[in-house]
Amino acid sequence: MIWNEAKECMSRDEMSNLQSARLRKLVDYVYHNVEFYRKKMQAIDLMPGDIKGIEDIVKLPFTTKDDLRDNYPFGLFAVPNSEIVRIHASSGTTGKATVVGYTRRDLDIWAECVARCLTMAGVSKDDVIQVAYGYGLFTGGLGAHDGAQKIGATVVPMSTGNSKKLTTMMVDFGATAIACTPSYLLHISEVLENEGLLDQIKLKAAVCGAEPWTEKMRQEIETKLNIKAYDIYGLSEVMGPGVACDCDFHKGLHVCEDHFYPEILNSATLTRVPDGETGELAFTTLTKEGIPLIRYRTKDLTSIDYSTCECGRTSARISRFKGRVDDMLIIRGVNVFPSQIEAALIDVEEVTPHYMMIVDRVNNLDTLEVQLEVAPKYYTDEIRAIEALTKKIAHIIQQAIGINAKVKLVEPQTLVRSQGKAVHVVDNRKLY
Ligand code: DLL
């Protein structure tokens, strides 16, 4: 089942011509509407007319998450706020969120891309789909919602957080599809099992993403729930869910290449690696109006395949993700940078800068423990003082990263000191 045959089955030449035309338009657009890009281009003596086709993309400068942070909140927007109809945000590397804005047309294109992905997973207007990604600033909930609505499915906007209600409604509403993180779906499958509801569900398909997961997890989900599970990818800076998704053959994720031009780079040299080799994924948003991005470095590691898929689609496929270039963690679907914790605690004099994050997965739910050394001056055996400090720090961390962490305060000089680059994270989950 293909949502938009014209776009998903174009010949490589047709796609290339479309991308070239869109890139020329984009470069002219950002040059005239985004000071950041105009200055970057002027610094290397590049004029919009120098970009003749998609192959010239290598002449253009890169964009990073730090660029978004440095231009917080709206500095990279290409339109006035009167044209922006929605804002989303995700974690920045330190205190400030990464903010993105969408015009009405951006939202239409986003819904179109998600519709393609859901169609790949066999979802149609006859389905009842529970959207159990978080609604709010995170792009998962509303992004999946708009796409499912576009294909005419019956959308149940569950959001996250109430598994019992979700499982009850899954049965009562006869839900046939679900969109949520893979770890949450495994948790849901346990709740269904514990409640004896497994044989009462009508679920056929799950569209899972927002965090890394393995082929083993996919098989576990499929077996436990007797459904098909599909991998959906995206990131808020580029759009949200729906940048790419896998089909029945699970041989890579089809990129919505008419809107997002992918490049796989060697992170050190920032040159392209040969097709099939692993590197850092960068995207150029070919049609975005609100916050168009040129060569945005996702920090996600993958490889690319341009051969036609067995499903008939000709779009480039990126492989299941193999890790990240940076230290970003995804805990309960939330992006967390260790540097956020560092920044939040820098002014708390009761603790030292030595900390350790221990990430684990218990009953398919992620757990986070943050161990911190108390500063010698404040170290005490007095249990109430320690409890009060623990509570204070837990609150600061919750405010900084948006999820609860178990805080464990330890004696001064007890956390392991590293000889080289400081190690602040122990991730016991096996995600790649
Ligand atoms: O996670 C958007 C999304 C929502 C995608 C729902 C899929 C489903 P961010 O919060 O900006 O956006 O996080 C983006 O999450 O750079 C990857 O590291 C990771 N990620 C997203 N999807 C996948 C996936 C949303 N299918 C970051 N596999 C990205 C592995 C994924 N990692």
Side-chain angles (χ1 to χ4, degrees), residues 79-357:
V79 295
N81 274 4
S82 55
E83 299 299 312
I84 296 287
V85 296
R86 171 100 63 82
I87 297 276
H88 280 284
S90 71
S91 315
T93 42
T94 53
K96 280 187 182 148
T98 302
V99 182
V100 286
Y102 304 74
T103 64
R104 198 168 291 283
R105 181 165 168 267
D106 290 337
L107 288 187
D108 286 345
I109 290 175
W110 186 7
E112 157 77 28
C113 293
V114 175
R116 285 185 203 171
C117 297
L118 293 173
T119 308
M120 258 183 247
V123 180
S124 75
K125 67 185 284 298
D126 299 324
D127 284 292
V128 176
I129 179 166
Q130 288 183 304
V131 176
Y133 287 116
Y135 278 65
L137 288 173
F138 176 54
T139 52
L142 285 166
H145 183 111
D146 288 349
Q149 203 162 274
K150 179 149 186 115
I151 59 177
T154 307
V155 187
V156 188
M158 295 302 311
S159 198
T160 47
N162 194 337
S163 313
K164 273 210 150 160
K165 197 177 200 174
L166 187 147
T167 50
T168 307
M169 288 185 173
M170 186 181 275
V171 174
D172 294 349
F173 298 177
T176 48
I178 187 164
C180 63
T181 61
S183 57
Y184 190 51
L185 189 53
L186 275 174
H187 174 69
I188 293 294
S189 71
E190 277 171 358
V191 177
L192 285 164
E193 194 172 6
N194 293 339
E195 291 177 355
L197 295 175
L198 267 181
D199 57 353
Q200 292 180 45
I201 59 170
K202 297 213 169 66
L203 214 58
K204 293 183 318 194
V207 187
C208 297
E211 64 183 13
W213 56 312
T214 55
E215 181 58 23
K216 192 166 158 258
M217 274 175 82
R218 194 173 70 76
Q219 283 166 8
E220 199 178 332
I221 288 172
E222 293 197 334
T223 314
K224 273 196 161 164
L225 292 169
N226 193 21
I227 61 168
K228 286 184 165 186
Y230 299 83
D231 194 358
I232 186 167
Y233 168 79
L235 61 164
S236 55
E237 295 89 323
V238 168
M239 177 179 75
V243 172
C245 188
D246 71 354
C247 64
D248 278 334
F249 294 88
H250 304 297
K251 291 201 175 137
L253 289 79
H254 292 271
V255 179
C256 290
E257 262 189 287
D258 45 333
H259 298 295
F260 311 107
Y261 182 75
E263 293 175 89
I264 311 290
L265 307 164
N266 173 320
S267 295
T269 60
L270 294 182
T271 53
R272 288 211 200 162
V273 301
D275 294 351
E277 276 185 25
T278 300
E280 180 185 341
L281 176 63
F283 276 115
T284 298
T285 64
L286 294 173
T287 49
K288 258 172 76 174
E289 293 177 335
I291 175 165
L293 294 179
I294 289 184
R295 308 188 84 192
Y296 181 73
R297 293 180 58 188
T298 66
K299 309 270 174 165
D300 290 316
L301 289 169
T302 183
S303 57
I304 201 156
D305 180 355
Y306 284 98
S307 65
T308 301
C309 181
E310 287 165 64
C311 72
R313 289 178 182 84
T314 51
S315 45
R317 281 169 289 150
I318 46 177
S319 69
R320 186 183 275 286
F321 290 88
K322 298 185 173 94
R324 283 188 58 89
V325 177
D326 63 5
D327 54 1
M328 186 181 91
L329 299 155
I330 304 183
I331 306 174
R332 279 174 246 147
V334 176
N335 301 350
V336 176
F337 291 93
S339 50
Q340 285 176 283
I341 293 194
E342 237 165 272
L345 293 175
I346 201 151
D347 294 327
V348 181
E349 57 178 29
E350 294 96 321
V351 290
T352 71
H354 299 287
Y355 69 96
M356 188 64 99
M357 299 166 67

